[in-house]
Amino acid sequence: DGMTDVMEIFYGLSPSISNSFSNLPFNENFESDTIGLVNGQNGWSANPANSSTIQSLNVYEGSKSLSIGLTGSIPSAVNNYMIGSLVSNALWLDMYVSALPSSEPNDLNKCIAAFYFNKYHRLTVYDGHQTGTNKWIVISSNAIPATGEWARITIKIDPESNQWLVCLNSRKVAENLGYITNRNEFGLLMFEGNTGYVDNILISTN
Protein backbone atom coordinates (compact mmCIF):
# COMPACT_ATOMS: atom_id res chain seq x y z
CA ASP A 1 0.00 0.00 0.00
CA GLY A 2 3.05 2.29 -0.17
CA MET A 3 3.49 2.88 3.59
CA THR A 4 5.98 1.02 5.77
CA ASP A 5 4.75 -1.14 8.64
CA VAL A 6 6.49 1.14 11.15
CA MET A 7 4.55 4.18 9.95
CA GLU A 8 1.25 2.29 9.83
CA ILE A 9 1.70 1.26 13.47
CA PHE A 10 2.65 4.85 14.34
CA TYR A 11 -0.61 6.10 12.83
CA GLY A 12 -2.60 3.43 14.63
CA LEU A 13 -3.19 1.28 11.55
CA SER A 14 -2.73 -2.44 11.03
CA PRO A 15 0.25 -3.34 8.82
CA SER A 16 -1.37 -6.71 8.09
CA ILE A 17 -4.14 -4.97 6.13
CA SER A 18 -3.56 -3.51 2.67
CA ASN A 19 -4.79 0.05 3.17
CA SER A 20 -5.77 2.40 0.37
CA PHE A 21 -3.31 5.29 0.52
CA SER A 22 -2.66 7.84 -2.17
CA ASN A 23 0.72 7.86 -3.88
CA LEU A 24 2.67 10.77 -5.33
CA PRO A 25 2.05 12.92 -7.20
CA PHE A 26 -1.08 13.81 -5.24
CA ASN A 27 -3.46 16.40 -6.69
CA GLU A 28 -6.68 17.43 -4.93
CA ASN A 29 -8.85 20.26 -6.23
CA PHE A 30 -12.07 18.88 -4.68
CA GLU A 31 -13.94 19.17 -8.00
CA SER A 32 -14.81 15.45 -8.07
CA ASP A 33 -16.14 15.52 -4.50
CA THR A 34 -19.78 15.93 -3.53
CA ILE A 35 -21.04 19.03 -1.74
CA GLY A 36 -21.49 18.08 1.91
CA LEU A 37 -19.43 16.43 4.65
CA VAL A 38 -15.88 15.64 3.55
CA ASN A 39 -15.46 12.74 5.98
CA GLY A 40 -15.20 9.51 3.99
CA GLN A 41 -14.93 11.21 0.62
CA ASN A 42 -11.96 10.50 -1.64
CA GLY A 43 -9.76 9.32 1.20
CA TRP A 44 -10.38 12.25 3.60
CA SER A 45 -11.25 11.84 7.25
CA ALA A 46 -12.52 14.56 9.60
CA ASN A 47 -12.60 14.67 13.39
CA PRO A 48 -15.30 15.31 14.47
CA ALA A 49 -16.85 13.66 11.43
CA ASN A 50 -19.39 16.46 10.90
CA SER A 51 -16.94 19.33 11.32
CA SER A 52 -15.82 20.03 7.75
CA THR A 53 -17.41 20.11 4.34
CA ILE A 54 -16.94 20.37 0.62
CA GLN A 55 -18.60 23.66 -0.34
CA SER A 56 -18.92 26.06 -3.25
CA LEU A 57 -19.37 29.48 -1.59
CA ASN A 58 -15.67 30.29 -1.13
CA VAL A 59 -13.23 28.79 -3.64
CA TYR A 60 -9.89 29.76 -5.11
CA GLU A 61 -10.40 28.07 -8.45
CA GLY A 62 -13.08 25.87 -9.93
CA SER A 63 -16.37 25.38 -8.14
CA LYS A 64 -15.49 23.62 -4.84
CA SER A 65 -13.06 23.75 -1.95
CA LEU A 66 -12.62 22.28 1.53
CA SER A 67 -14.02 24.24 4.47
CA ILE A 68 -12.79 23.39 7.96
CA GLY A 69 -14.73 23.62 11.21
CA LEU A 70 -17.70 25.65 10.00
CA THR A 71 -20.45 24.04 12.07
CA GLY A 72 -20.55 26.70 14.77
CA SER A 73 -21.01 24.43 17.78
CA ILE A 74 -17.79 22.50 17.14
CA PRO A 75 -14.71 24.35 18.43
CA SER A 76 -12.12 22.75 16.16
CA ALA A 77 -11.63 20.26 13.38
CA VAL A 78 -8.81 18.03 12.17
CA ASN A 79 -8.81 16.79 8.59
CA ASN A 80 -6.42 14.03 7.54
CA TYR A 81 -5.38 12.50 4.26
CA MET A 82 -3.12 9.45 4.27
CA ILE A 83 -0.30 9.27 1.72
CA GLY A 84 2.16 6.40 1.49
CA SER A 85 5.50 7.70 0.20
CA LEU A 86 9.12 7.34 1.23
CA VAL A 87 10.87 10.72 1.05
CA SER A 88 14.12 9.98 -0.78
CA ASN A 89 14.03 13.14 -2.91
CA ALA A 90 12.91 16.66 -2.17
CA LEU A 91 9.16 16.83 -1.66
CA TRP A 92 7.08 19.83 -2.72
CA LEU A 93 3.69 20.79 -1.30
CA ASP A 94 1.73 23.56 -3.02
CA MET A 95 -1.74 24.73 -2.03
CA TYR A 96 -4.03 27.70 -1.49
CA VAL A 97 -5.41 28.50 1.96
CA SER A 98 -7.57 31.30 3.33
CA ALA A 99 -5.45 33.66 5.42
CA LEU A 100 -7.55 33.64 8.59
CA PRO A 101 -6.12 34.30 12.07
CA SER A 102 -5.54 31.09 13.99
CA SER A 103 -3.55 29.64 16.87
CA GLU A 104 -0.78 27.08 17.17
CA PRO A 105 -1.73 23.59 15.97
CA ASN A 106 -2.08 21.09 18.78
CA ASP A 107 -1.15 17.70 17.33
CA LEU A 108 2.42 18.06 16.09
CA ASN A 109 3.93 14.69 17.00
CA LYS A 110 3.00 13.31 13.57
CA CYS A 111 4.34 16.29 11.63
CA ILE A 112 7.51 17.16 9.75
CA ALA A 113 6.53 20.79 9.15
CA ALA A 114 3.72 23.09 10.29
CA PHE A 115 2.50 26.66 9.83
CA TYR A 116 -0.41 28.97 10.62
CA PHE A 117 -1.40 32.65 10.34
CA ASN A 118 -1.33 34.37 13.74
CA LYS A 119 -3.81 36.96 15.04
CA TYR A 120 -1.88 39.69 13.19
CA HIS A 121 -2.19 37.73 9.91
CA ARG A 122 1.54 36.98 9.96
CA LEU A 123 2.68 33.62 8.61
CA THR A 124 4.13 31.65 11.53
CA VAL A 125 6.27 28.56 11.00
CA TYR A 126 7.77 25.83 13.17
CA ASP A 127 11.57 25.65 13.29
CA GLY A 128 12.98 22.60 15.03
CA HIS A 129 16.40 24.28 15.21
CA GLN A 130 15.15 26.80 17.76
CA THR A 131 16.19 26.26 21.37
CA GLY A 132 13.77 26.33 24.27
CA THR A 133 10.11 25.38 24.27
CA ASN A 134 8.86 27.97 21.77
CA LYS A 135 10.00 26.95 18.31
CA TRP A 136 7.52 29.08 16.35
CA ILE A 137 8.91 31.91 14.18
CA VAL A 138 6.79 34.82 12.98
CA ILE A 139 7.69 35.80 9.42
CA SER A 140 7.80 39.60 9.42
CA SER A 141 9.36 40.19 6.00
CA ASN A 142 6.32 39.28 3.93
CA ALA A 143 3.29 41.30 2.93
CA ILE A 144 0.35 40.67 5.23
CA PRO A 145 -2.57 38.99 3.45
CA ALA A 146 -5.97 40.54 4.03
CA THR A 147 -8.35 38.61 6.27
CA GLY A 148 -9.73 35.66 4.35
CA GLU A 149 -7.63 36.36 1.26
CA TRP A 150 -6.47 33.29 -0.62
CA ALA A 151 -2.74 32.79 -0.06
CA ARG A 152 -0.49 30.40 -1.92
CA ILE A 153 1.69 28.29 0.37
CA THR A 154 4.59 26.31 -1.09
CA ILE A 155 6.71 24.03 1.09
CA LYS A 156 9.84 22.09 0.19
CA ILE A 157 10.87 19.20 2.43
CA ASP A 158 14.52 18.24 1.98
CA PRO A 159 15.39 14.75 3.30
CA GLU A 160 19.13 15.24 2.76
CA SER A 161 19.38 18.09 5.26
CA ASN A 162 16.26 17.30 7.33
CA GLN A 163 15.18 20.87 6.76
CA TRP A 164 12.29 22.62 5.04
CA LEU A 165 11.49 25.95 3.45
CA VAL A 166 8.28 27.86 2.84
CA CYS A 167 7.13 30.33 0.20
CA LEU A 168 4.20 32.72 0.52
CA ASN A 169 2.56 33.77 -2.74
CA SER A 170 5.55 32.46 -4.76
CA ARG A 171 8.12 34.34 -2.63
CA LYS A 172 10.50 32.43 -0.37
CA VAL A 173 10.08 33.78 3.15
CA ALA A 174 11.90 31.20 5.31
CA GLU A 175 14.42 28.41 4.73
CA ASN A 176 16.72 26.02 6.64
CA LEU A 177 13.91 25.30 9.09
CA GLY A 178 14.34 22.25 11.27
CA TYR A 179 11.90 19.36 11.17
CA ILE A 180 9.37 18.91 13.96
CA THR A 181 10.17 15.19 13.97
CA ASN A 182 12.80 13.53 11.79
CA ARG A 183 11.24 11.10 9.34
CA ASN A 184 12.14 9.59 5.99
CA GLU A 185 8.51 9.00 5.07
CA PHE A 186 5.65 11.34 4.23
CA GLY A 187 2.42 9.76 5.42
CA LEU A 188 -0.07 12.39 6.52
CA LEU A 189 -1.46 15.71 5.30
CA MET A 190 -3.36 17.41 8.13
CA PHE A 191 -5.37 20.61 8.56
CA GLU A 192 -6.54 21.83 11.95
CA GLY A 193 -8.64 24.82 12.92
CA ASN A 194 -11.94 26.46 13.76
CA THR A 195 -12.53 28.21 10.44
CA GLY A 196 -10.62 27.88 7.18
CA TYR A 197 -10.63 27.02 3.50
CA VAL A 198 -8.20 24.96 1.42
CA ASP A 199 -8.03 24.49 -2.36
CA ASN A 200 -5.78 23.18 -5.14
CA ILE A 201 -3.43 20.89 -3.24
CA LEU A 202 -0.47 19.41 -5.12
CA ILE A 203 2.24 17.21 -3.59
CA SER A 204 5.05 15.95 -5.81
CA THR A 205 8.80 15.45 -6.05
CA ASN A 206 9.32 18.19 -8.65
Side-chain angles (χ1 to χ4, degrees):
D1 55 20
M3 186 178 292
T4 63
D5 291 350
V6 172
M7 288 299 288
E8 288 183 311
I9 293 172
F10 178 75
Y11 289 130
L13 304 171
S14 173
S16 63
I17 299 174
S18 181
N19 297 286
S20 297
F21 303 130
S22 179
N23 296 314
L24 301 182
F26 170 71
N27 191 352
E28 173 66 279
N29 59 16
F30 304 102
E31 296 301 302
S32 64
D33 297 323
T34 302
I35 297 292
L37 296 179
V38 70
N39 189 60
Q41 288 202 62
N42 199 24
W44 288 96
S45 63
N47 184 23
N50 62 337
S51 62
S52 300
T53 61
I54 302 297
Q55 54 80 52
S56 59
L57 298 178
N58 188 2
V59 302
Y60 172 75
E61 189 174 63
S63 62
K64 301 173 187 175
S65 73
L66 171 66
S67 66
I68 300 170
L70 299 179
T71 57
S73 61
I74 297 174
S76 64
V78 176
N79 293 262
N80 298 325
Y81 195 99
M82 306 300 296
I83 298 174
S85 178
L86 290 172
V87 183
S88 56
N89 299 310
L91 189 70
W92 289 90
L93 165 63
D94 190 66
M95 61 185 171
Y96 287 84
V97 300
S98 54
L100 292 167
S102 185
S103 56
E104 297 176 8
N106 294 314
D107 189 9
L108 294 177
N109 66 319
K110 299 175 182 178
C111 300
I112 291 176
F115 72 91
Y116 68 97
F117 288 95
N118 68 13
K119 63 181 179 180
Y120 303 109
H121 301 173
R122 292 288 191 184
L123 182 64
T124 306
V125 300
Y126 191 100
D127 182 8
H129 293 321
Q130 297 297 308
T131 59
T133 57
N134 182 18
K135 298 182 184 295
W136 292 99
I137 297 177
V138 178
I139 306 301
S140 59
S141 61
N142 60 288
I144 303 176
T147 301
E149 177 184 353
W150 285 99
R152 182 183 184 186
I153 297 291
T154 307
I155 290 172
K156 178 186 179 183
I157 296 173
D158 182 4
E160 291 188 4
S161 64
N162 285 346
Q163 297 183 128
W164 65 289
L165 66 78
V166 59
C167 303
L168 174 61
N169 291 330
S170 303
R171 177 173 176 259
K172 184 168 64 178
V173 294
E175 61 183 332
N176 300 323
L177 302 168
Y179 282 2
I180 298 174
T181 54
N182 289 330
R183 304 191 187 286
N184 65 348
E185 189 168 1
F186 183 85
L188 182 68
L189 176 64
M190 180 168 65
F191 300 101
E192 177 186 316
N194 296 333
T195 303
Y197 299 91
V198 183
D199 206 353
N200 281 19
I201 304 169
L202 175 62
I203 306 174
S204 68
T205 55
N206 51 45

PDB file of all heavy atoms in Angstrom, residues 147-159:
ATOM      1  N   THR A 147      -7.572  39.659   5.613  1.00  0.00           N
ATOM      2  CA  THR A 147      -8.349  38.614   6.268  1.00  0.00           C
ATOM      3  C   THR A 147      -9.185  37.829   5.260  1.00  0.00           C
ATOM      4  O   THR A 147      -9.954  38.406   4.500  1.00  0.00           O
ATOM      5  CB  THR A 147      -9.279  39.220   7.335  1.00  0.00           C
ATOM      6  OG1 THR A 147      -8.502  39.921   8.297  1.00  0.00           O
ATOM      7  CG2 THR A 147     -10.082  38.124   8.030  1.00  0.00           C
ATOM      8  N   GLY A 148      -8.974  36.517   5.248  1.00  0.00           N
ATOM      9  CA  GLY A 148      -9.727  35.663   4.353  1.00  0.00           C
ATOM     10  C   GLY A 148      -9.204  35.596   2.930  1.00  0.00           C
ATOM     11  O   GLY A 148      -9.716  34.826   2.120  1.00  0.00           O
ATOM     12  N   GLU A 149      -8.191  36.381   2.612  1.00  0.00           N
ATOM     13  CA  GLU A 149      -7.626  36.362   1.259  1.00  0.00           C
ATOM     14  C   GLU A 149      -6.979  35.009   0.985  1.00  0.00           C
ATOM     15  O   GLU A 149      -6.361  34.403   1.863  1.00  0.00           O
ATOM     16  CB  GLU A 149      -6.572  37.471   1.135  1.00  0.00           C
ATOM     17  CG  GLU A 149      -5.841  37.517  -0.195  1.00  0.00           C
ATOM     18  CD  GLU A 149      -4.749  38.574  -0.222  1.00  0.00           C
ATOM     19  OE1 GLU A 149      -4.654  39.353   0.753  1.00  0.00           O
ATOM     20  OE2 GLU A 149      -3.986  38.614  -1.196  1.00  0.00           O
ATOM     21  N   TRP A 150      -7.125  34.541  -0.245  1.00  0.00           N
ATOM     22  CA  TRP A 150      -6.468  33.294  -0.620  1.00  0.00           C
ATOM     23  C   TRP A 150      -4.965  33.519  -0.724  1.00  0.00           C
ATOM     24  O   TRP A 150      -4.514  34.459  -1.374  1.00  0.00           O
ATOM     25  CB  TRP A 150      -7.011  32.770  -1.937  1.00  0.00           C
ATOM     26  CG  TRP A 150      -8.363  32.155  -1.818  1.00  0.00           C
ATOM     27  CD1 TRP A 150      -9.558  32.731  -2.117  1.00  0.00           C
ATOM     28  CD2 TRP A 150      -8.676  30.838  -1.341  1.00  0.00           C
ATOM     29  NE1 TRP A 150     -10.599  31.864  -1.866  1.00  0.00           N
ATOM     30  CE2 TRP A 150     -10.087  30.689  -1.393  1.00  0.00           C
ATOM     31  CE3 TRP A 150      -7.899  29.777  -0.896  1.00  0.00           C
ATOM     32  CZ2 TRP A 150     -10.730  29.523  -1.007  1.00  0.00           C
ATOM     33  CZ3 TRP A 150      -8.545  28.604  -0.505  1.00  0.00           C
ATOM     34  CH2 TRP A 150      -9.938  28.481  -0.562  1.00  0.00           C
ATOM     35  N   ALA A 151      -4.197  32.684  -0.050  1.00  0.00           N
ATOM     36  CA  ALA A 151      -2.739  32.785  -0.061  1.00  0.00           C
ATOM     37  C   ALA A 151      -2.159  31.475  -0.563  1.00  0.00           C
ATOM     38  O   ALA A 151      -2.603  30.391  -0.170  1.00  0.00           O
ATOM     39  CB  ALA A 151      -2.211  33.089   1.341  1.00  0.00           C
ATOM     40  N   ARG A 152      -1.164  31.588  -1.422  1.00  0.00           N
ATOM     41  CA  ARG A 152      -0.488  30.395  -1.924  1.00  0.00           C
ATOM     42  C   ARG A 152       0.652  30.034  -0.982  1.00  0.00           C
ATOM     43  O   ARG A 152       1.526  30.852  -0.691  1.00  0.00           O
ATOM     44  CB  ARG A 152       0.054  30.633  -3.329  1.00  0.00           C
ATOM     45  CG  ARG A 152       0.730  29.398  -3.939  1.00  0.00           C
ATOM     46  CD  ARG A 152       1.324  29.710  -5.299  1.00  0.00           C
ATOM     47  NE  ARG A 152       1.875  28.511  -5.920  1.00  0.00           N
ATOM     48  CZ  ARG A 152       2.553  28.508  -7.066  1.00  0.00           C
ATOM     49  NH1 ARG A 152       2.752  29.651  -7.720  1.00  0.00           N
ATOM     50  NH2 ARG A 152       3.020  27.366  -7.554  1.00  0.00           N
ATOM     51  N   ILE A 153       0.635  28.800  -0.496  1.00  0.00           N
ATOM     52  CA  ILE A 153       1.690  28.288   0.373  1.00  0.00           C
ATOM     53  C   ILE A 153       2.428  27.183  -0.370  1.00  0.00           C
ATOM     54  O   ILE A 153       1.818  26.227  -0.859  1.00  0.00           O
ATOM     55  CB  ILE A 153       1.114  27.730   1.687  1.00  0.00           C
ATOM     56  CG1 ILE A 153       0.423  28.836   2.493  1.00  0.00           C
ATOM     57  CG2 ILE A 153       2.214  27.063   2.512  1.00  0.00           C
ATOM     58  CD1 ILE A 153       1.357  29.875   3.060  1.00  0.00           C
ATOM     59  N   THR A 154       3.741  27.317  -0.461  1.00  0.00           N
ATOM     60  CA  THR A 154       4.587  26.307  -1.088  1.00  0.00           C
ATOM     61  C   THR A 154       5.646  25.875  -0.084  1.00  0.00           C
ATOM     62  O   THR A 154       6.325  26.719   0.494  1.00  0.00           O
ATOM     63  CB  THR A 154       5.255  26.840  -2.355  1.00  0.00           C
ATOM     64  OG1 THR A 154       4.267  27.391  -3.233  1.00  0.00           O
ATOM     65  CG2 THR A 154       6.007  25.733  -3.084  1.00  0.00           C
ATOM     66  N   ILE A 155       5.758  24.577   0.123  1.00  0.00           N
ATOM     67  CA  ILE A 155       6.709  24.033   1.090  1.00  0.00           C
ATOM     68  C   ILE A 155       7.607  23.012   0.394  1.00  0.00           C
ATOM     69  O   ILE A 155       7.124  22.186  -0.381  1.00  0.00           O
ATOM     70  CB  ILE A 155       5.961  23.366   2.263  1.00  0.00           C
ATOM     71  CG1 ILE A 155       5.276  24.432   3.132  1.00  0.00           C
ATOM     72  CG2 ILE A 155       6.905  22.511   3.111  1.00  0.00           C
ATOM     73  CD1 ILE A 155       4.365  23.853   4.188  1.00  0.00           C
ATOM     74  N   LYS A 156       8.893  23.092   0.674  1.00  0.00           N
ATOM     75  CA  LYS A 156       9.842  22.093   0.194  1.00  0.00           C
ATOM     76  C   LYS A 156      10.418  21.360   1.397  1.00  0.00           C
ATOM     77  O   LYS A 156      10.959  21.975   2.315  1.00  0.00           O
ATOM     78  CB  LYS A 156      10.979  22.746  -0.592  1.00  0.00           C
ATOM     79  CG  LYS A 156      12.038  21.742  -1.074  1.00  0.00           C
ATOM     80  CD  LYS A 156      13.232  22.437  -1.722  1.00  0.00           C
ATOM     81  CE  LYS A 156      14.283  21.433  -2.168  1.00  0.00           C
ATOM     82  NZ  LYS A 156      15.492  22.109  -2.733  1.00  0.00           N
ATOM     83  N   ILE A 157      10.293  20.034   1.382  1.00  0.00           N
ATOM     84  CA  ILE A 157      10.868  19.196   2.427  1.00  0.00           C
ATOM     85  C   ILE A 157      12.102  18.515   1.859  1.00  0.00           C
ATOM     86  O   ILE A 157      12.022  17.811   0.854  1.00  0.00           O
ATOM     87  CB  ILE A 157       9.838  18.158   2.910  1.00  0.00           C
ATOM     88  CG1 ILE A 157       8.656  18.876   3.573  1.00  0.00           C
ATOM     89  CG2 ILE A 157      10.470  17.163   3.873  1.00  0.00           C
ATOM     90  CD1 ILE A 157       7.510  17.964   3.931  1.00  0.00           C
ATOM     91  N   ASP A 158      13.246  18.744   2.496  1.00  0.00           N
ATOM     92  CA  ASP A 158      14.522  18.243   1.983  1.00  0.00           C
ATOM     93  C   ASP A 158      15.045  17.126   2.882  1.00  0.00           C
ATOM     94  O   ASP A 158      15.526  17.379   3.991  1.00  0.00           O
ATOM     95  CB  ASP A 158      15.538  19.388   1.942  1.00  0.00           C
ATOM     96  CG  ASP A 158      16.873  18.952   1.362  1.00  0.00           C
ATOM     97  OD1 ASP A 158      16.987  17.784   0.931  1.00  0.00           O
ATOM     98  OD2 ASP A 158      17.814  19.768   1.346  1.00  0.00           O
ATOM     99  N   PRO A 159      14.962  15.860   2.448  1.00  0.00           N
ATOM    100  CA  PRO A 159      15.385  14.747   3.298  1.00  0.00           C
ATOM    101  C   PRO A 159      16.894  14.664   3.492  1.00  0.00           C
ATOM    102  O   PRO A 159      17.359  14.024   4.438  1.00  0.00           O
ATOM    103  CB  PRO A 159      14.856  13.521   2.546  1.00  0.00           C
ATOM    104  CG  PRO A 159      14.797  13.953   1.115  1.00  0.00           C
ATOM    105  CD  PRO A 159      14.436  15.408   1.145  1.00  0.00           C
TER     106      PRO A 159
END
